Amino acid sequence: MAASLHHLTFFFPLLRPPSPKPGTELHGATSKPNPRAIMAFASGKDTQEVVLQPGERLYLGMDFGTSGARYALIDKQGTIHSEGKREYPFYMSGETIDWVQSWKTTIFSLLEDVPVHFRPLVASISIDGTSATTIIVDSNTGEPLWRPFLYNESCPDALPMVKSIAPVNHTVCSGSSTLCKLVSWWNTEDSKKESALLLHQADWLLWLLHGKLGVSDYNNALKVGYDPEVDSYPPWLLAQPYSHLLPSVTAPGTSIGCLKENIRTQFGFSEDCVVCTGTTDSIAAFLAARATQPGKAVTSLGSTLAIKLLSTRRIEDARFGVYSHRLDDKWLVGGASNTGGAVLRELFTDEQLDKLSEQINPMEASPLDYYPLTAAGERFPVADPNLAPRLHPRPESDVEYLHGILESIARIEAKAYSLLKDMGATEVEEVFTAGGGAKNDKWIKIRERVLGLPVSRAMQTEAAYGAALLALKGAQQSLN
């Protein structure tokens, strides 16, 4: 049975919840697969045995976030059989980090981390990546022609030209949009323009697996100007001299082709394992959280803060960094702020965060008023490339300091949801939390007080799980 992205999202809440905790790798009971059945264990309060029957398949999702990558391996019921994570290794190119090499190394490390006895059972693979992370490659070889433009990188030099061709307040009218990055490259590079091709991070990683250049999905392509409502690039974009760089676009979770033979044989995947189009990291987290009704929202608290609200109305306004992704007949409305966990990691270790958080009274409001950023520039709920970080004054107490930062991030989140309501989106009724910040119970209680809404940890908090759901969708479609 083929399932649209909408149907997939609404179908999976009926499945039994995945048991493994984030970061846990689960392996079979034996190192070699039993020809009759494979035993796996789902860890939780009560460890339970999961039996894979003969012929049952698994679906692999990989999430490439800002600081590292994860994988999740699920069955058709949604149960996780294995998961793991990798931090990005740092390779240097001159004085800058070679992110392309780092991502490439990581994807093959994740494939190696999938337990050997599960690999022949994998029917499909999908990947999510950070939104608006852009790679310009050679259309013949797939090799990058330029360093990648990262998700939060702004190209204000291209903004006047983009604003001159796009509708007023369009999603691309932001310095960090994919289109601004493309135009900035186009205006800088004098050669190689005819053979160039634009890919998003997820597109390029998936290309490493399937070998077909120039394929993207309509979630990743939104910020380059793709119109998901009519399923095409708009005429004003196609009229530009760089339009030949734009990739073809299909729905997230669409089968592209089989896994490349050399990868299949190297890692021991099956001959019929297919690779499917992906999505962005925040949408994958939304899918994983199973927020299925209008008014339900997911806040992803990772290195940055990303918001997705299921709405009956589409909202677009680049002045505030607001945009909408299509989800069948509804819309995922929201945006991404540069505030978030990356600021916390610059100031505290994980151990400090745990110990200091324990001492916070989440029912008391902090008088400290910060705007936590790692560097100047904000995307949402205000779009200001020059907005300066505000992390002072710093009190003597680290507990008070952390409390002030957590509360300030919660205020930014509240401002974001209030903005979406004012712009006409469905009013938020409940917030699910995904990402690393979902593990901090005190922060959840602070946010619940500041937002004035029920806030809870999503049943599944990892975007890799949402990518695995897309892999399942693609496998279902390829059978029909």
Side-chain angles (χ1 to χ4, degrees):
M1 171 179 75
S4 68
L5 186 60
H6 165 76
H7 291 141
L8 184 72
T9 307
F10 279 67
F11 172 72
F12 271 95
L14 304 177
L15 303 180
R16 61 180 183 269
S19 303
K21 298 176 181 179
T24 305
E25 283 197 29
L26 307 175
H27 302 277
T30 59
S31 59
K32 295 181 180 180
N34 183 317
R36 298 180 64 84
I38 289 182
M39 315 295 285
F41 292 94
S43 69
K45 237 177 186 181
D46 302 311
T47 302
Q48 63 181 29
E49 190 176 275
V50 179
V51 179
L52 286 176
Q53 297 301 325
E56 189 167 357
R57 305 300 297 272
L58 298 173
Y59 310 91
L60 177 62
M62 289 184 275
D63 160 51
F64 277 71
T66 55
S67 59
R70 293 176 178 267
Y71 82 86
L73 191 64
I74 67 172
D75 62 25
K76 64 182 179 181
Q77 303 300 325
T79 300
I80 297 176
H81 292 269
S82 177
E83 57 184 348
K85 61 181 179 180
R86 288 269 183 165
E87 291 186 359
Y88 295 135
F90 287 130
Y91 298 96
M92 301 304 293
S93 177
E95 296 183 357
T96 60
I97 297 173
D98 186 346
W99 285 110
V100 167
Q101 184 59 42
S102 178
W103 297 331
K104 185 175 182 178
T105 299
T106 302
I107 190 173
F108 292 114
S109 295
L110 288 180
L111 292 178
E112 187 70 40
D113 290 343
V114 175
V116 174
H117 54 278
F118 283 145
R119 295 180 202 170
L121 305 181
V122 176
S124 55
I125 303 172
S126 187
I127 297 174
D128 71 75
T130 47
S131 176
T133 293
T134 307
I135 309 175
I136 309 293
V137 303
D138 186 298
S139 60
N140 298 310
T141 66
E143 291 301 311
L145 298 174
W146 197 264
R147 64 166 185 80
F149 293 90
L150 300 182
Y151 67 99
N152 60 347
E153 188 172 343
S154 185
C155 297
D157 58 295
L159 195 52
M161 181 177 291
V162 169
K163 285 185 173 180
S164 73
I165 61 172
V168 176
N169 300 328
H170 192 280
T171 301
V172 298
C173 298
S174 165
S176 60
S177 73
T178 311
L179 185 57
C180 276
K181 291 163 182 171
L182 170 58
V183 171
S184 180
W185 176 85
W186 183 264
N187 292 338
T188 302
E189 181 63 30
D190 292 326
S191 60
K192 303 177 181 176
K193 288 182 176 180
E194 291 306 313
S195 63
L197 175 67
L198 180 146
L199 293 177
H200 307 90
Q201 181 189 31
D203 307 337
W204 188 79
L205 289 165
L206 287 164
W207 165 73
L208 293 175
L209 302 184
H210 60 65
K212 298 180 180 179
L213 270 174
V215 183
S216 187
D217 64 272
Y218 60 57
N219 293 152
N220 272 298
L222 184 76
K223 292 183 182 178
V224 78
Y226 191 82
D227 188 342
E229 199 161 7
V230 296
D231 270 338
S232 68
Y233 290 108
W236 59 262
L237 182 56
L238 293 175
Q240 303 310 312
Y242 43 78
S243 63
H244 65 277
L245 273 75
L246 300 173
S248 62
V249 177
T250 186
T254 300
S255 174
I256 304 169
C258 288
L259 192 63
K260 288 166 62 176
E261 184 178 359
N262 63 321
I263 296 175
R264 177 177 57 77
T265 54
Q266 177 184 350
F267 293 98
F269 290 94
S270 65
E271 291 186 11
D272 62 348
C273 179
V274 297
V275 181
C276 309
T277 48
T279 186
T280 66
D281 53 351
S282 60
I283 289 186
F286 187 94
L287 294 176
R290 304 170 180 175
T292 60
Q293 300 298 321
K296 306 294 184 182
V298 173
T299 296
S300 296
L301 290 172
S303 297
T304 59
L305 182 150
I307 281 174
K308 289 285 182 290
L309 167 66
L310 195 59
S311 172
T312 57
R313 279 191 64 188
R314 180 185 187 183
I315 306 296
E316 307 272 348
D317 198 325
R319 292 176 300 170
F320 305 103
V322 174
Y323 54 92
S324 295
H325 284 283
R326 183 161 71 90
L327 194 62
D328 196 53
D329 61 340
K330 295 179 178 62
W331 297 92
L332 287 182
V333 180
S337 168
N338 287 338
T339 193
V343 180
L344 298 173
R345 285 190 174 276
E346 285 193 349
L347 299 168
F348 306 102
T349 65
D350 287 347
E351 184 179 1
Q352 287 174 323
L353 286 171
D354 290 340
K355 289 185 177 180
L356 294 173
S357 294
E358 289 175 4
Q359 302 174 61
I360 292 173
N361 181 353
M363 296 300 104
E364 287 187 4
S366 170
L368 299 170
D369 182 22
Y370 301 138
Y371 206 107
L373 298 169
T374 57
E378 176 61 304
R379 299 176 287 165
F380 169 75
V382 293
D384 182 356
N386 301 312
L387 185 68
R390 192 169 71 250
L391 287 162
H392 295 284
R394 178 167 183 164
E396 291 185 11
S397 166
D398 283 344
V399 175
E400 291 179 19
Y401 191 44
L402 177 59
H403 188 178
I405 294 172
L406 296 181
E407 184 129 347
S408 295
I409 295 175
R411 292 189 198 117
I412 294 169
E413 181 184 3
K415 182 177 180 181
Y417 281 119
S418 178
L419 173 66
L420 297 181
K421 176 188 174 183
D422 292 344
M423 295 177 68
T426 300
E427 185 174 359
V428 60
E429 297 176 353
E430 183 178 11
V431 176
F432 298 97
T433 308
K439 301 170 187 175
N440 190 320
D441 291 330
K442 294 294 181 73
W443 198 3
I444 286 180
K445 290 178 180 177
I446 289 172
R447 293 169 52 233
E448 195 163 45
R449 171 173 51 79
V450 173
L451 294 174
L453 294 165
V455 179
S456 60
R457 186 182 296 107
M459 184 180 295
Q460 174 51 240
T461 62
E462 299 300 340
Y465 186 85
L469 295 181
L470 288 180
L472 171 55
K473 175 198 171 191
Q476 290 174 328
Q477 288 185 335
S478 66
L479 294 175
N480 291 275

